Amino acid sequence: MPSSYDIPAVQTAAVVPESGGTIQVKADHPVPTQEQLAPNECLVKMHCTGVCHTDLHAALGDWPVAAKIPLIGGHEGVGEIVAIGAHTIDSPVKVGDRVGIKWLADSCLNCEACRKGREQNCDQAKLSGFTVDGTFSEYVVSYVRHVTPIPEGFDSNAAASILCAGVTVYRALKYSQTSPGDWVVLPGAGGGLGHLAVQYAKYMGLRVIAIDTGASKKKLVEELGADHWIDFKESKDIVAEIKSVTGGAGAHSAVVTAASASGYQQAIEYLRTGGTLMAVGLPGDATLNASIFFTVFKSISILGSYVGNRQDAREAIDIAARGGVKCHFQVRGLGDLEE
């Protein structure tokens, strides 16, 4: 691999010029030079990027926290490091390495949250495609201590969404207080996060109750190993069905990735005593309306799980690279983002 690269002065990038505005694909966006990179920054030439619903929230500005404007969105990409800032000491990556960029672009690594492995909750965290420009471009400035090495032979397109949807559900399952053989409910199992959650759950030895709707999603999740399917449009009583499948006790955990409140409210009813609700989806203004009585009476744990740290990303990528998880995706052009 080359020790240096010819870096162009301009690039094609998809830019959100103002909050609530539409994406504009521009062919003359400047590319940072080697001299402009700060210590611990790296310039990554992108191979591909995934697209997440969070990118829409960032563009619309409908979250309680606002994205920087103007903004290049995107936070799940794979590319090659073409430059590293001068005076970077002990970089864990080098020019020529293939790496992934995820939602958590950088953190201080020294505060209490970082030291306890909650780097994503660092007060100084930089977020790709939200507080710093992201992966909807040909070149991205990232950070040497937070990019994720991509194993040789693992397809870049397959790796991209593992860095967002994959690591998000992987961490939620990892901390769901479950053991092999336990039942986990996955609302939205046929979606982007859900179909990966089914596979990570099966990899961990869990039994999966998949909730979604439609024949195509039923076929997908059953092929991925789901133990029971519930079509939420056809089921007369989802809670009763889950309890019946689990021998009357209810599920051990639920990982709710939906961006709506309904999936959270129902989970308290179908979780067994000592069960765990993993809150993952980020609705902008919805609230969690759970029965306090039954949350206490059943000793239910409600845990927020917000993306993953550096180690979670490496583990999620490693499992996928070894064939434990397969990401289903479509390849589109950067210009299609305008649609």
Side-chain angles (χ1 to χ4, degrees):
M1 60 186 66
S3 58
S4 63
Y5 293 77
D6 292 327
I7 299 172
V10 295
Q11 62 174 319
T12 300
V15 182
V16 178
E18 59 185 23
S19 183
T22 56
I23 283 179
Q24 299 175 4
V25 177
K26 299 183 177 182
D28 59 353
H29 194 80
V31 179
T33 65
Q34 163 78 50
E35 293 72 22
Q36 290 173 318
L37 296 175
N40 297 317
E41 289 184 345
C42 58
L43 185 66
V44 181
K45 182 180 181 181
M46 301 307 300
H47 296 165
C48 60
T49 177
V51 181
C52 176
H53 197 265
T54 295
D55 297 314
L56 185 60
H57 287 296
L60 295 176
D62 61 358
W63 270 358
V65 290
K68 88 173 192 73
I69 293 294
L71 174 72
I72 297 175
H75 55 268
E76 46 184 283
V78 175
E80 185 175 350
I81 295 176
V82 295
I84 293 176
H87 307 298
T88 296
I89 300 173
D90 296 330
S91 173
V93 291
K94 63 185 183 301
V95 170
D97 284 357
R98 188 169 61 121
V99 297
I101 296 171
K102 59 191 185 304
W103 174 251
L104 180 60
D106 194 27
S107 68
C108 78
L109 299 180
N110 195 46
C111 66
E112 181 181 9
C114 285
R115 294 195 306 270
K116 289 185 174 180
R118 294 198 304 273
E119 299 153 5
Q120 62 272 41
N121 298 121
C122 174
D123 287 339
Q124 299 178 47
K126 297 181 177 71
L127 307 176
S128 299
F130 199 78
T131 64
V132 296
D133 284 334
T135 56
F136 292 165
S137 56
E138 294 180 287
Y139 291 85
V140 183
V141 174
S142 196
Y143 303 85
V144 297
R145 305 200 187 284
H146 274 280
V147 290
T148 303
I150 305 300
E152 186 176 351
F154 188 28
D155 178 58
S156 292
N157 291 320
S161 289
I162 297 297
L163 293 160
C164 180
V167 70
T168 296
V169 296
Y170 172 73
R171 181 180 174 91
L173 288 161
K174 180 179 174 180
Y175 289 92
S176 63
Q177 303 182 134
T178 51
S179 302
D182 285 355
W183 286 99
V184 61
V185 178
L186 301 176
L193 277 76
H195 89 283
L196 295 174
V198 171
Q199 296 175 78
Y200 279 114
K202 296 304 297 181
Y203 183 88
M204 296 174 180
L206 301 176
R207 289 183 285 178
V208 173
I209 297 174
I211 301 178
D212 216 317
T213 188
S216 62
K217 292 189 175 183
K218 178 183 180 182
K219 181 175 183 293
L220 172 63
V221 299
E222 288 182 342
E223 288 176 349
L224 296 177
D227 298 273
H228 186 76
W229 161 262
I230 296 177
D231 190 313
F232 65 80
K233 289 186 177 180
E234 297 180 0
S235 177
K236 293 182 172 61
D237 190 333
I238 291 175
V239 173
E241 188 168 347
I242 290 173
K243 288 187 174 181
S244 175
V245 171
T246 58
H252 297 84
S253 183
V255 176
V256 182
T257 58
S260 63
S262 58
Y264 293 96
Q265 298 166 8
Q266 199 171 51
I268 300 299
E269 300 178 45
Y270 63 63
L271 286 171
R272 69 176 60 198
T273 297
T276 304
L277 168 59
M278 301 301 296
V280 177
L282 285 173
D285 55 4
T287 57
L288 177 60
N289 297 314
S291 166
I292 296 175
F293 179 87
F294 284 108
T295 300
V296 175
F297 187 74
K298 294 168 66 178
S299 299
I300 299 294
S301 297
I302 301 177
L303 303 177
S305 184
Y306 170 55
V307 295
N309 60 23
R310 294 174 299 164
Q311 183 62 25
D312 297 325
R314 286 183 178 238
E315 292 172 4
I317 284 286
D318 177 66
I319 292 169
R322 289 188 288 107
V325 167
K326 179 182 179 182
C327 181
H328 292 243
F329 58 86
Q330 297 177 350
V331 177
R332 305 282 294 271
L334 186 64
D336 293 337
L337 282 171
E338 293 180 330
E339 301 175 19

